[in-house]
Amino acid sequence: AFTALATEGTVSNRPGQVLANWHNNPLIRKQREELPPESRLALAMRMHKQNDPEGALELIRPLLLGVNNKNVGDEALSLALHIDHDNDRRESIERLGDQVALWELTPKAKEQLDYALALSRENLGKSGEAAPLWSKVAETGQLDEKQQAYAEYFMTKEAENERRLQDAYTLGRSALNRFITMAQND
């Protein structure tokens, strides 16, 4: 019954009602393991939007173990990466990358995972491990403008460290132009 309510609440855009039923009914929460993956993901997304990242992660954690569930796996991964990024959980992103290393991801999901891993490695002081990922994600041409600017910024630093000054100049100029454009548009 809760699954039907969750689906209907999502379709009719009544997330508050779905969350209220979840929080106010201990019987439903006790049957968490029986929730279909789609309901888990929908509920976790609502929890995240209502500023309950821990509750959201708790619900989707089983979706991130084992084999990729093609219906919800990429979305669960994306949500977990988003939550971990927003909460500066760099080590968690690294563990998540290890958990899903054997998954067959869509190109977009793979790109977002690689971007998150590169950013987490930079912030963990592992620039050498991040460098190949920055090159990989920047070359796809699929990053949004902000992500592309950051990728080029970190690639600039790597090129400078390797004394590839012409590359550093070109990449740095491109990154700067992107950052300026974004600042002007805000």
Side-chain angles (χ1 to χ4, degrees):
F2 178 76
T3 300
L5 177 65
T7 302
E8 195 248 313
T10 301
V11 171
S12 62
N13 201 21
R14 291 184 296 182
Q17 180 184 6
V18 174
L19 286 176
N21 283 321
W22 176 258
H23 290 301
N24 295 330
N25 193 327
L27 181 62
I28 293 173
R29 289 193 313 275
K30 281 183 183 178
Q31 296 179 2
R32 159 186 332 226
E33 299 308 316
E34 284 78 37
L35 282 176
E38 295 80 7
S39 296
R40 279 180 171 275
L41 181 60
L43 184 58
M45 287 179 167
R46 296 299 175 204
M47 287 178 158
H48 173 60
K49 287 181 181 178
Q50 296 295 317
N51 203 23
D52 183 7
E54 296 306 320
L57 286 174
E58 184 180 326
L59 274 173
I60 62 171
R61 194 166 285 120
L63 303 177
L64 300 169
L65 300 173
V67 178
N68 185 3
N69 179 327
K70 294 292 183 188
N71 296 329
V72 296
D74 287 3
E75 289 180 75
L77 175 60
S78 178
L79 179 59
L81 289 171
H82 187 75
I83 291 170
D84 285 342
H85 174 74
D86 285 353
N87 293 285
D88 295 322
R89 296 180 186 160
R90 305 300 174 206
E91 293 85 6
S92 183
I93 291 172
E94 291 287 317
R95 285 190 302 275
L96 193 53
D98 291 340
Q99 277 179 248
V100 301
L102 298 177
W103 281 18
E104 189 175 314
L105 298 169
T106 63
K108 183 67 176 170
K110 179 67 175 147
E111 176 185 281
Q112 291 305 307
L113 174 61
D114 287 345
Y115 181 87
L117 287 169
L119 191 57
S120 74
R121 289 175 184 167
E122 286 291 345
N123 287 302
L124 290 170
K126 301 177 183 178
S127 296
E129 293 178 33
L133 290 172
W134 287 127
S135 296
K136 183 178 173 183
V137 297
E139 290 172 4
T140 66
Q142 300 299 310
L143 295 176
D144 65 35
E145 193 69 13
K146 183 177 180 181
Q147 289 175 328
Q148 187 70 29
Y150 276 108
E152 290 175 357
Y153 166 77
F154 287 115
M155 289 169 58
T156 299
K157 289 175 63 175
E158 183 66 20
E160 184 179 24
N161 289 340
E162 293 178 355
R163 307 297 299 158
R164 293 182 292 119
L165 300 180
Q166 183 63 44
D167 290 342
Y169 174 77
T170 304
L171 288 164
R173 191 166 172 191
S174 178
L176 178 62
N177 286 337
R178 289 177 192 280
F179 283 125
I180 288 171
T181 300
M182 286 186 302
Q184 290 173 342
N185 291 336
D186 281 345

